[in-house]
Every structure is written in structure tokens, then in C-alpha cells.
Amino acid sequence: MKKAAVIMGSASDLPVARKAADTLRSFGVPCEVHVYSAHRTPLQTAQFARDARENGFGVLIAAAGMAAHLAGALAAQTTLPVIGIPLKSNALDGVDALLSTVQMPSGIPVATVAIDGAVNAALLAVQILAVEDRGLAEKLEAHRAAGAEKALAANAAAEAEFAQ
């Protein structure tokens, strides 16, 4: 199975990045977690992305706030799928990071999830890896079924409470 990388622009991003790593691990996806900055460690960031395919990665997840150039910096150096997680900040509540992550130039795509959307980023990474891994696809199907069961149980409780 291919690995996933969860890369954050700063160690302060770990609480959100951890949610992505934990979700990947819950599906049995091997992952590495790194702190690379598009601005403070541009050479190391570029080298990681350039070597990612040869090092066994199938998808990269980049969590960054404010200017949020990390996902784009990675995507510019690899043809692997890159998923950006814009992070909430104090100044603009993460809207700045969302716009920086989603507004990539033509030819360098970055999939972008919601602000602080680490779980969805990981689930999208699992879906990408599951294209060629039937066992992983089955785990996703079971995860979706469990979510549906939970929603139906909540519906039944609400219907019972408000039944006439």
C-alpha cells in the first residue's frame, strides 16, 4: 500500500494535522508526519515533494494557515495528488488560508477541503489510495455504512421525541 504524508507548515499546526494522521491510521494507511514550511524551509519542502513518489507515497496532505502556500509549493514539485487543509487563524478566521489554498494556477491542481477539515482531507486521501486497493475501498464502504447507521439512529430518536 502507498503511504500518505501529512505535512504542516508549523509545529503549531499539529492539533489539526494529528486529526488527519489519526484518521489515516484508523484505515490502516501508513503515514508520515512532517513540519516543512514553504517559506522557512523551501529547499527541504521541494526536495520532499520531488522524492515522494520514489519514497512510496501516493498522496500528500498539506496543512497551513495564513498565506498557506505549502500545498501549492508541494504540488509544484510533484505529480502526486496534493490535498490542502487551510487552517483557521486569528486574523481572518482561515479565509485567507482557504483562498490561498484553493486559488491555484491552471496546471498545478490542489484539492482543498474546509478550514480545519483534516478528517475530510484524510478521507479524500484514503479514497484516492483506494482506487487501486480493494481492501481499503471496503474499509471506506464500512465507514460510510457506520455513518449512515448513526444518522438513522439520530433520526429515529428525533422522530420518537416529537411523535404525536
Side-chain angles (χ1 to χ4, degrees):
M1 175 185 303
K2 296 281 187 188
K3 298 184 289 187
V6 178
I7 305 160
M8 65 197 103
S10 170
S12 64
D13 303 332
L14 184 57
V16 174
R18 182 183 310 281
K19 292 176 185 176
D22 289 347
T23 301
L24 290 164
R25 289 187 177 133
S26 75
F27 280 89
V29 174
C31 73
E32 292 182 11
V33 177
H34 299 278
V35 178
Y36 290 125
S37 168
H39 304 108
R40 291 183 291 273
T41 61
L43 298 177
Q44 293 86 351
T45 301
Q47 192 65 54
F48 180 86
R50 281 194 298 271
D51 295 343
R53 186 181 304 276
E54 292 76 29
N55 288 332
F57 292 94
V59 62
L60 309 179
I61 297 173
M66 298 175 13
H69 294 133
L70 182 59
L74 292 166
Q77 300 294 327
T78 185
T79 56
L80 290 175
V82 176
I83 304 165
I85 306 170
L87 300 178
K88 187 173 183 177
S89 64
N90 292 333
L92 298 170
D93 275 345
V95 173
D96 49 345
L98 173 64
L99 295 175
S100 294
T101 305
V102 78
Q103 292 290 4
M104 291 300 300
S106 181
I108 308 293
V110 168
T112 306
V113 296
I115 296 168
D116 288 350
V119 172
N120 270 354
L123 289 171
L124 180 56
V126 172
Q127 286 179 289
I128 290 166
L129 296 173
V131 167
E132 299 207 7
D133 185 324
R134 185 67 206 146
L136 200 50
E138 290 169 359
K139 288 180 183 179
L140 275 169
E141 290 165 6
H143 177 77
R144 292 263 179 108
E149 281 184 33
K150 186 176 177 182
L152 291 173
N155 176 61
E159 286 178 353
E161 181 179 341
F162 293 99
Q164 292 186 4

